[in-house]
Amino acid sequence: MIRIPQVRVIDDEGNQLGVMPTPRALEMAQERGLDLVEVAPMAAPPVARFLDFGQYKYELTKREKEAKRRQRSVTFKEVRLSPKIGTGDFDTKVHRAVEFLEDGDRIKVTVRFRGRELSHPELGRLLLERFAELVKEHGIIERTPVLEGKSMFIVLASTHKPKVAEAPQRPARPEGAPALAPAAAAEAAAPAAAAEAAAPAPAASVATATPAPTATTPTTPIPTKPKPTNGAEAPQTASTSGD
């Protein structure tokens, strides 16, 4: 809500309507079906414009996302050397440093001394100066060689602008194929699933199907125990109750 009593008004076509009371500017915006948006609150008087506020917020958010996608933070890389490094390894380190500098990164080139190597720090200084000379087309020295403890290092800043990471592109849709959003595709698939669920069951599972006549199988008589011929009853199990 705009609490300033007077504002400088710009209409939706960019024409200046002059300074007027805020209620009058709000009334004019409502007549056009638009919102009164304060676009320059620090001006004297503040500047307000007739806008569709929902569309304005959408475009503002879109621009912020695009700016975030294009910006790239500069990282700090480190390349480690030794006073007795071989020619091949040295060239590999130089090539890797050039790649970092071309990406816009800063580099810390460090020479580590071991044992008696620390008694000849000039070897590390010459190695760092040689390294900086080979990459001078891509980076400049921010900090001269400094000996700290058992290591000596320099810092190189890139002369290139940071590269922008390109967003991956989606594969092209074939010509003539309808474009469906994921939500629309789900809605289109829902009626088909409902129709499939409501379809009648196959005839084999219908409960009212006429039963087929079944063949009768002869029953086998169950054999019975023969009774004793002497008229005595069958022996019974003795009780274990103690009587």
Side-chain angles (χ1 to χ4, degrees):
M1 182 176 180
I2 302 177
R3 302 182 183 275
I4 306 299
Q6 288 187 340
V7 291
R8 186 180 301 277
V9 181
I10 301 175
D11 64 3
D12 52 333
E13 297 180 355
N15 301 321
Q16 293 193 13
L17 305 183
V19 180
M20 63 180 67
T22 302
R24 173 57 182 163
L26 183 59
E27 181 181 353
M28 292 179 63
Q30 292 175 351
E31 290 175 355
R32 304 188 184 191
L34 299 173
D35 302 311
L36 184 66
V37 181
E38 191 176 22
V39 294
M42 302 305 296
V47 180
R49 187 168 184 172
F50 298 158
L51 292 173
D52 183 349
F53 187 65
Q55 183 69 19
Y56 173 74
K57 285 187 67 177
Y58 170 76
E59 293 179 355
L60 188 63
T61 305
K62 187 176 180 181
R63 287 197 296 267
E64 289 177 355
K65 288 183 178 179
E66 185 70 16
K68 286 183 178 180
R69 187 182 68 85
R70 290 186 172 276
Q71 74 180 13
R72 179 182 181 275
S73 58
V74 177
T75 56
F76 200 81
K77 305 290 186 179
E78 182 176 9
V79 177
R80 297 179 181 178
L81 308 175
S82 65
K84 298 180 179 180
I85 187 172
T87 304
D89 292 341
F90 183 81
D91 294 340
T92 302
K93 299 284 186 178
V94 171
H95 179 71
R96 189 61 176 158
V98 170
E99 292 180 353
F100 290 149
L101 293 172
E102 287 179 346
D103 290 341
D105 298 324
R106 298 172 64 202
I107 300 179
K108 178 181 179 181
V109 186
T110 306
V111 178
R112 292 190 173 185
F113 300 96
R114 295 181 180 179
R116 295 184 179 181
E117 293 176 351
L118 192 59
S119 60
H120 300 282
E122 66 278 1
L123 298 178
R125 182 175 287 102
L126 293 175
L127 190 64
L128 292 174
E129 291 176 355
R130 178 186 168 196
F131 193 97
E133 181 66 21
L134 293 175
V135 300
K136 65 179 181 180
E137 296 181 359
H138 307 278
I140 57 175
I141 299 178
E142 277 189 349
R143 188 171 181 178
T144 56
V146 178
L147 180 63
E148 292 185 357
K150 295 183 178 182
S151 62
M152 181 181 292
F153 67 92
I154 59 173
V155 177
L156 299 174
S158 174
T159 57
H160 302 276
K161 293 183 178 180
K163 291 184 178 180
V164 178
E166 296 293 338
Q169 298 182 355
R170 295 182 178 179
R173 180 171 54 87
E175 296 183 0
L180 287 178
E187 291 179 1
E196 183 178 354
S205 61
V206 178
T208 58
T210 304
T214 58
T216 59
T217 57
T219 58
T220 304
I222 301 174
T224 58
K225 286 185 177 183
K227 293 183 178 181
T229 57
N230 55 1
E233 294 181 358
Q236 297 182 356
T237 306
S239 174
T240 59
S241 60
D243 293 339

